[in-house]
Amino acid sequence: MNSHTSPGDLTGQRLNGRYDLVEKLGEGAMGQVYRAHDQTRDGRTVAVKLLSDPATVDWFRSEFETVSLMVHPGIAQVFDFGHSNREGLDFYTTEYVPGVPADGKVAAFQFATITDICVSILKALDYIHGQGYLHCDVKPGNVLLQSPQHGSPATTKILDFGLATAIPQSRLTARGTLAYMAPEWFKGGIPGPHSDLYSAGVMFYQMTWGSLPFDASSAQECIRFHNEGIFPWPDSGAIPEWWIQILKQMVSRDPADRFSNAREVLAAVARGAGRDLEVASEHGAQEGIIGGPWIGREKVLKRALAHVDLEDKTGSSNSPVLVLEGAPGTGKSRLLQELKRRLQLRGTPVAVVDPQRGEPLAELSTLLSLFFDQAEPRRAQERGSHIVSRLVNRTWEFSQLGGLVLLLDNLHSWDDLGRSFVQELINRLDYDRQHGDESPQLALVLACTPASQGKEPLTLPGDSPTEQLTPLTPADTQR
């Protein structure tokens, strides 16, 4: 029996000094989900998933790590992972998806709309499987349907990767929702993409005819049907035979008789519907943006993680400043994103400041006010030098409370006041490193284009390393 206590309803509270929880969206055995406003992003609406049971934090961290690798228009995007000391809760944030479950109500739509919705789900599954994962819980509750906008087709977002796993080579303990689970989960078979496709096939059946093909009120009935039941195929005349044949193959009891991957299903739909579905290239690469398993820069990332490890500064010769330098398009921002993700999973306080999101010092001031849970003091017509000194002091003060890694992106685009802040912070870091009793609990990663592109270079500690990023070659990206 679990000994943890549920945190109760936190609606109306501010989590971690940053997220205003405005509505509870759901609650399960593992935690709660809220709609919230992120005060560091001008009140952007996000979903916050809270973990109720600290004993399952490794599972929770694994879920975040899996879904944060995936950036695709059909998957809810993940933002940040953290721990709120005040509430004692682990959490992560995702894109907020307003929508309704893709369930039997879809059957009221025109057939062309139904297939559009199914195609969007298949494209997302194609991407997930191409990244080497199974979702393992494809069902209406984990697929939200968003209403069409301005004449565009309806779209879907796949949520909840709590049961997801790397595609296995051997048997796994059964997982999923009984009404949608493939027979091999019950018979000790090896699950694969065909298992997710079976689940999708059951869901598509429900979306096409308005209900499940069996009574799902008992666990025994669900298992019996998947193992030996016969799907009824209504003959209404409104559903074309080619669609029925696709669904029959998706839900075949023998995995060998099913489609082996989502791309095959999409090709069959394209043939049946007589139209081009614009299927992405191998592994769904064109559908994704910057997601997927981290490839091509692992050595650089490993060195960066070691350099900013605040608990392993074994000597004063380790500069607290690291420079990532490369031409536009060489992946500096992507590297910072992955560095932030790995640091959050370690529990290291980390913040990214990027002028492309707004004026850097204003963004930093907002972050600090939330770190300290109090507004930054502002004075009318405050001199620039005073602003810089105040923010340096506040940054330093926060770092000494529990450590801080600042990832400063697109430094070549920072204005003079912002660069003055960076230089003064570097000077203080270097002085404290040389004359302080302990290593500073602050590290900086500076991402910029080569110094020859116009800005006067910053003065860095002499032992500050620079990682030169060059465009990746095809050989670099081989997994």
Side-chain angles (χ1 to χ4, degrees), residues 336-479:
L336 288 186
Q337 181 193 53
E338 184 66 14
L339 187 57
K340 182 192 82 165
R341 188 179 76 88
R342 302 277 181 107
L343 289 170
Q344 287 182 330
L345 288 169
R346 287 182 177 182
T348 301
V350 58
V352 179
V353 183
D354 183 354
Q356 293 185 359
R357 292 200 297 248
E359 202 278 317
L361 293 193
E363 182 178 1
L364 182 66
S365 180
T366 299
L367 286 169
L368 290 171
S369 69
L370 294 172
F371 285 154
F372 285 100
D373 200 17
Q374 64 184 56
E376 277 289 289
R378 300 192 178 210
R379 304 175 180 87
Q381 299 180 337
E382 184 178 14
R383 293 175 58 184
S385 60
H386 291 171
I387 294 173
V388 167
S389 295
R390 172 169 55 82
L391 290 179
V392 167
N393 289 336
R394 293 288 277 175
T395 303
W396 191 266
E397 181 182 351
F398 178 79
S399 71
Q400 301 315 296
L401 293 175
L404 176 64
V405 177
L406 276 181
L407 309 179
L408 309 182
D409 202 2
N410 292 302
L411 195 64
H412 50 276
S413 297
W414 286 47
D415 59 18
D416 290 340
L417 193 63
R419 291 175 70 85
S420 295
F421 161 80
V422 177
Q423 185 64 72
E424 188 168 325
L425 191 59
I426 289 172
N427 293 344
R428 182 159 183 177
L429 270 168
D430 197 37
Y431 180 87
D432 191 81
R433 181 169 64 116
Q434 301 297 332
H435 303 285
D437 295 332
E438 298 180 355
S439 298
Q441 291 301 295
L442 174 66
L444 305 180
V445 180
L446 316 178
C448 57
T449 56
S452 60
Q453 296 195 12
K455 293 285 186 179
E456 182 177 345
L458 297 169
T459 302
L460 306 177
D463 55 348
S464 300
T466 296
E467 294 283 358
Q468 297 286 349
L469 301 188
T470 57
L472 292 174
T473 67
D476 294 328
T477 62
Q478 295 301 310
R479 291 187 284 184

Side-chain angles (χ1 to χ4, degrees), residues 265-282:
V265 188
L266 287 165
V269 174
R271 289 192 299 271
R275 58 195 178 100
D276 183 4
L277 298 179
E278 298 181 358
V279 179
S281 60
E282 186 177 1

Side-chain angles (χ1 to χ4, degrees), residues 60-75:
F60 194 65
R61 187 177 286 112
S62 176
E63 179 184 2
F64 171 82
E65 189 168 10
T66 297
V67 72
S68 64
L69 289 169
M70 301 182 190
V71 182
H72 183 278
I75 299 172

Side-chain angles (χ1 to χ4, degrees), residues 308-335:
V308 300
D309 188 345
L310 301 176
E311 298 181 359
D312 190 31
K313 292 295 183 185
T314 54
S316 61
S317 61
N318 292 326
S319 169
V321 181
L322 171 67
V323 178
L324 302 176
E325 188 174 273
T330 51
K332 300 182 296 297
S333 295
R334 177 67 177 99
L335 181 57

Side-chain angles (χ1 to χ4, degrees), residues 13-47:
Q13 298 189 32
R14 175 170 288 185
L15 177 70
N16 209 35
R18 174 174 177 178
Y19 302 101
D20 290 336
L21 307 180
V22 298
E23 178 189 5
K24 183 190 282 189
L25 300 175
E27 182 170 7
M30 295 296 185
Q32 305 172 338
V33 181
Y34 289 85
R35 179 169 62 88
H37 295 148
D38 181 355
Q39 296 307 312
T40 70
R41 293 291 180 267
D42 297 323
R44 175 181 67 178
T45 302
V46 299

Side-chain angles (χ1 to χ4, degrees), residues 3-330:
S3 60
H4 71 279
T5 302
S6 171
D9 191 344
L10 301 180
T11 301
Q13 298 189 32
R14 175 170 288 185
L15 177 70
N16 209 35
R18 174 174 177 178
Y19 302 101
D20 290 336
L21 307 180
V22 298
E23 178 189 5
K24 183 190 282 189
L25 300 175
E27 182 170 7
M30 295 296 185
Q32 305 172 338
V33 181
Y34 289 85
R35 179 169 62 88
H37 295 148
D38 181 355
Q39 296 307 312
T40 70
R41 293 291 180 267
D42 297 323
R44 175 181 67 178
T45 302
V46 299
V48 177
K49 187 167 186 176
L50 296 173
L51 177 66
S52 298
D53 184 0
T56 60
V57 67
D58 288 340
W59 161 83
F60 194 65
R61 187 177 286 112
S62 176
E63 179 184 2
F64 171 82
E65 189 168 10
T66 297
V67 72
S68 64
L69 289 169
M70 301 182 190
V71 182
H72 183 278
I75 299 172
Q77 185 180 355
V78 164
F79 299 129
D80 293 293
F81 183 94
H83 178 82
S84 175
N85 291 323
R86 177 182 296 179
E87 293 85 3
L89 296 171
D90 293 283
F91 66 91
Y92 72 79
T93 63
T94 75
E95 168 190 9
Y96 171 66
V97 182
V100 296
D103 57 18
K105 297 183 180 66
V106 174
F109 298 164
Q110 293 183 352
F111 175 71
T113 301
I114 295 173
T115 54
D116 283 342
I117 295 169
C118 294
V119 163
S120 68
I121 296 169
L122 289 167
K123 286 184 176 182
L125 288 176
D126 178 51
Y127 177 83
I128 293 167
H129 299 156
Q131 307 310 312
Y133 289 91
L134 302 181
H135 185 277
C136 297
D137 199 17
V138 178
K139 63 179 181 179
N142 288 337
V143 182
L144 291 188
L145 173 64
Q146 299 176 288
S147 299
Q149 299 291 329
H150 307 295
S152 61
T155 59
T156 58
K157 295 273 188 179
I158 293 181
L159 317 172
D160 198 342
F161 283 71
L163 299 181
T165 182
I167 295 176
Q169 302 300 315
S170 58
R171 298 176 181 177
L172 290 179
T173 301
R175 60 183 70 187
T177 299
L178 285 174
Y180 302 89
M181 289 171 65
E184 54 268 24
W185 285 114
F186 309 112
K187 296 181 177 180
I190 300 175
H194 52 267
S195 306
D196 276 351
L197 291 178
Y198 180 96
S199 301
V202 176
M203 184 172 71
F204 291 175
Y205 183 105
Q206 185 178 6
M207 292 163 56
T208 301
W209 283 288
S211 63
L212 286 168
F214 57 92
D215 178 9
S217 60
S218 72
Q220 293 81 0
E221 175 58 23
C222 289
I223 296 172
R224 185 204 65 77
F225 182 86
H226 291 307
N227 284 334
E228 57 188 54
I230 299 175
F231 278 77
W233 300 100
D235 183 14
S236 65
I239 307 302
E241 182 62 25
W242 63 262
W243 179 244
I244 294 175
Q245 292 305 315
I246 287 174
L247 296 186
K248 284 183 176 180
Q249 189 168 348
M250 290 181 72
V251 299
S252 175
R253 187 163 292 114
D254 186 345
D257 293 334
R258 291 180 217 148
F259 295 98
S260 61
N261 56 62
R263 188 170 301 272
E264 291 183 358
V265 188
L266 287 165
V269 174
R271 289 192 299 271
R275 58 195 178 100
D276 183 4
L277 298 179
E278 298 181 358
V279 179
S281 60
E282 186 177 1
H283 300 310
Q286 293 178 2
E287 291 285 354
I289 303 173
I290 52 175
W294 180 250
I295 56 176
R297 303 255 189 230
E298 193 63 47
K299 291 181 180 179
V300 175
L301 180 65
K302 184 176 181 180
R303 291 194 295 268
L305 285 167
H307 194 83
V308 300
D309 188 345
L310 301 176
E311 298 181 359
D312 190 31
K313 292 295 183 185
T314 54
S316 61
S317 61
N318 292 326
S319 169
V321 181
L322 171 67
V323 178
L324 302 176
E325 188 174 273
T330 51

